[in-house]
Amino acid sequence: MANPYLPKWEYIPDGEPRVFGDRVYIYGSHDKAGNGEFCDCVLKCWSAPVSNPNEWVCHGDIFRVGKTRDYESDTDYTVNPSKLFAPDVVEKDGKYYLYAYIENQKGCVAVSDKPEGPFKFMSTYTGKLPAGAFNDGIFIDPAVFVDDDGKAYIYCGYLKSELAELNPDNMYEVIEGSIIEDFIPSKPRPEDGFDTDEKCFFEAASMRKVGDTYYMIYSPNDCPKLAYATSDSPKGPFRFRGYIIDSGVDYPGGNDHGSIMNVNGQWYIFYHRMTNGTIMSRRGCVEKIEILPDGTIPMVETTCLGFEDALNPYQITDADIACVLTGDAFITERNVFSRFIRNITTETIIGYRYFDFGDDFGSKTMEFAAKVRGMGTNCRMNIYIDGVDSADKLETCKTVGKKIGSVEIGHDDEVITAVVEAVTGRHAVYFTFETDYKGWMADYFKGRGLFEFESFVFMK
């Protein structure tokens, strides 16, 4: 399944992927289309077979801190309505423990016999916490890790990182004297590779172990990147190693939160992208990554691929899976059945990486069709492969592309078609837009929305 990898009406940001048994589970926050604030009062869980991470199944609400249409809150101490953010789930001795961040209130731990829940409230975090530790017990964006020796650790923070060891017998008691502050520094620490403020800790801690190396994935001050630091101990010290992905390059940016996971022998980075003209309406995405023998993770670009190797250009592509979206254009959900790109102007570039056009099919041309909604202005859509007409127009693509055709869009069109040059092999596809207005009329239409873009297809 392409990005986003869950159904398009599902908004699960802050994704923490976990493999339990033969399934991969995704735990995250829960946004809604067009949200004016982050998250709501429920957590949901989806899972898929590791052998086919395209067959996602929804397990519904697994925990709540406010009354819903079906159930009361799972907590009796939270203000109704409360909001849940950025959870994590770990397995210990056959039990599954959920760690929840509740806005402005004490964080909590819940437990279940199954990785998909539902989870039952156990306790807020306990132990002798110094005044102000873990944001006065809120434990923002908790990430939990159980090491091979059975010891358990919790990592969290906003603007300042903190970690502690948990009592593995109950999984919610912070062991006295185990707190370490600034395990990822909030200010530059050149001796550990954090030589600029942009590399330092902002939020979104997530711990993974690969071989004998401990990986801390986090959101740096240079968000919307996801960075990583490594150590030979779960308690650090950690050394900055690099960035894994930047979800805000040539795309509407905001925060990011995610982690790495090995699914059926392939490593992935899970992250999220913004939609609906807001930073509070986020959908989960995933990209393949590689962990090199020296432990480094080369930075990857954002694509439309998700768990796929390539998209099929001869099947209808929904416009809203674009991984390049510039010039203030954004994705809008009209309803659960319909999404489109709006605010498309002459400054906009829309891109899709990558399609496999296959082998030569004995023709010099092919047809292109798109479903649009005209908005009163005649314009033109130019179709490129591998780049656009100038190498300095995109940060993520410094290649001058090849134009394979154009299609005219009338002021009230709903379907547009054109004959374009046939291509073979694997390519990114980019669209640019222009009008025939000159002089002061061109200035008048600069920044004006030209049409709405819903879907497209190539046809042999």
Side-chain angles (χ1 to χ4, degrees):
M1 185 174 290
N3 283 326
Y5 57 87
L6 295 178
K8 294 176 184 178
W9 47 262
E10 183 65 284
Y11 294 80
I12 304 289
D14 306 326
E16 282 287 346
R18 294 287 184 180
V19 171
F20 298 123
D22 60 358
R23 298 187 71 83
V24 55
Y25 294 81
I26 191 72
Y27 306 93
S29 305
H30 186 233
D31 284 353
K32 295 180 179 177
N35 259 17
E37 55 186 16
F38 291 115
C39 311
D40 59 15
C41 70
V42 304
L43 299 177
K44 298 176 72 173
C45 173
W46 289 74
S47 75
V50 295
S51 59
N52 186 1
N54 282 319
E55 296 181 354
W56 290 91
V57 173
C58 180
H59 300 287
D61 297 350
I62 61 172
F63 192 72
R64 56 194 67 78
V65 292
K67 180 179 174 60
T68 66
R69 66 174 183 256
D70 294 324
Y71 296 99
E72 298 294 328
S73 173
D74 290 312
T75 53
D76 60 9
Y77 70 94
T78 52
V79 176
N80 191 14
S82 295
K83 290 194 291 182
L84 279 165
F85 298 77
D88 197 6
V89 172
V90 293
E91 185 271 336
K92 178 73 166 62
D93 298 330
K95 297 285 187 180
Y96 299 87
Y97 296 89
L98 180 147
Y99 295 79
Y101 161 35
I102 307 169
E103 186 181 37
N104 298 323
Q105 298 180 62
K106 300 292 184 183
C108 71
V109 183
V111 67
S112 175
D113 292 326
K114 300 181 295 183
E116 67 270 24
F119 288 83
K120 183 178 180 180
F121 172 76
M122 289 179 64
S123 175
T124 57
Y125 303 100
T126 66
K128 294 183 178 180
L129 301 180
F134 299 102
N135 295 88
D136 292 320
I138 293 176
F139 286 74
I140 294 176
D141 291 2
V144 182
F145 172 71
V146 178
D147 208 349
D148 300 334
D149 59 6
K151 292 184 178 180
Y153 304 87
I154 188 166
Y155 310 80
C156 61
Y158 171 68
L159 302 181
K160 182 183 77 172
S161 62
E162 295 176 275
L163 74 82
E165 192 172 342
L166 295 175
N167 182 345
D169 293 331
N170 57 40
M171 295 298 287
Y172 55 76
E173 178 188 2
V174 174
I175 294 177
E176 187 175 0
S178 68
I179 297 174
I180 298 175
E181 295 187 344
D182 275 340
F183 67 89
I184 300 294
S186 55
K187 295 181 180 179
R189 195 165 67 200
E191 64 270 24
D192 290 328
F194 300 92
D195 52 2
T196 64
D197 179 70
E198 288 78 11
K199 297 177 181 178
C200 296
F201 187 84
F202 180 63
E203 61 181 355
S206 181
M207 171 61 75
R208 294 293 186 269
K209 186 179 184 181
V210 182
D212 294 326
T213 302
Y214 298 84
Y215 285 75
M216 173 53 56
I217 294 89
Y218 67 98
S219 175
N221 287 324
D222 191 15
C223 65
K225 293 178 181 176
L226 287 179
Y228 72 107
T230 62
S231 175
D232 58 6
S233 165
K235 298 186 289 186
F238 288 91
R239 180 169 183 80
F240 178 83
R241 302 299 296 277
Y243 300 110
I244 303 176
I245 198 164
D246 186 344
S247 61
V249 178
D250 296 324
Y251 194 90
N255 65 8
D256 208 347
H257 186 151
S259 196
I260 62 173
M261 198 70 225
N262 189 304
V263 182
N264 202 28
Q266 171 66 56
W267 283 98
Y268 295 91
I269 177 71
F270 289 70
Y271 66 106
H272 61 238
R273 291 186 196 149
M274 311 299 162
T275 68
N276 288 286
T278 171
I279 62 172
M280 300 165 181
S281 186
R282 302 159 293 175
R283 299 190 300 191
C285 294
V286 64
E287 306 291 349
K288 292 180 180 179
I289 62 170
E290 183 180 9
I291 301 179
L292 300 180
D294 65 358
T296 57
I297 303 174
M299 190 172 179
V300 296
E301 63 183 354
T302 59
T303 74
C304 307
L305 297 178
F307 294 100
E308 302 291 347
D309 292 325
L311 303 180
N312 185 346
Y314 310 116
Q315 294 179 351
I316 294 173
T317 298
D318 293 330
D320 71 296
I321 71 167
C323 60
V324 171
L325 197 55
T326 75
D328 297 324
F330 60 90
I331 294 160
T332 293
E333 180 174 306
R334 183 178 287 118
N335 53 58
V336 296
F337 300 103
S338 175
R339 283 150 214 90
F340 58 95
I341 298 175
R342 67 182 307 172
N343 204 35
I344 298 170
T345 72
T346 54
E347 289 75 46
T348 297
I349 300 172
I350 302 175
Y352 302 82
R353 297 189 284 254
Y354 290 92
F355 290 98
D356 186 352
F357 286 86
D359 299 328
D360 186 358
F361 53 89
S363 178
K364 296 181 180 180
T365 61
M366 58 184 175
E367 291 182 86
F368 172 83
K371 188 175 182 181
V372 301
R373 178 177 290 185
M375 296 176 60
T377 302
N378 296 335
C379 60
R380 185 177 306 107
M381 174 190 288
N382 300 312
I383 307 164
Y384 289 84
I385 58 170
D386 302 326
V388 291
D389 56 353
S390 176
D392 61 359
K393 286 190 176 182
L394 291 173
E395 293 183 56
T396 51
C397 179
K398 297 303 181 182
T399 302
V400 176
K402 179 181 181 181
K403 185 177 177 181
I404 63 170
S406 296
V407 57
E408 301 293 329
I409 303 174
H411 62 278
D412 63 350
D413 279 344
E414 293 185 357
V415 176
I416 55 174
T417 61
V419 174
V420 301
E421 180 182 338
V423 297
T424 60
R426 181 183 172 93
H427 301 279
V429 171
Y430 298 96
F431 300 109
T432 66
F433 310 92
E434 61 185 359
T435 68
D436 289 327
Y437 298 111
K438 307 296 183 183
W440 69 268
M441 282 294 290
D443 292 336
Y444 176 79
F445 278 96
K446 187 175 183 178
R448 175 174 173 170
L450 301 174
F451 68 101
E452 295 172 351
F453 186 21
E454 187 169 325
S455 58
F456 64 95
V457 67
F458 293 88
M459 297 168 286
K460 294 183 180 180

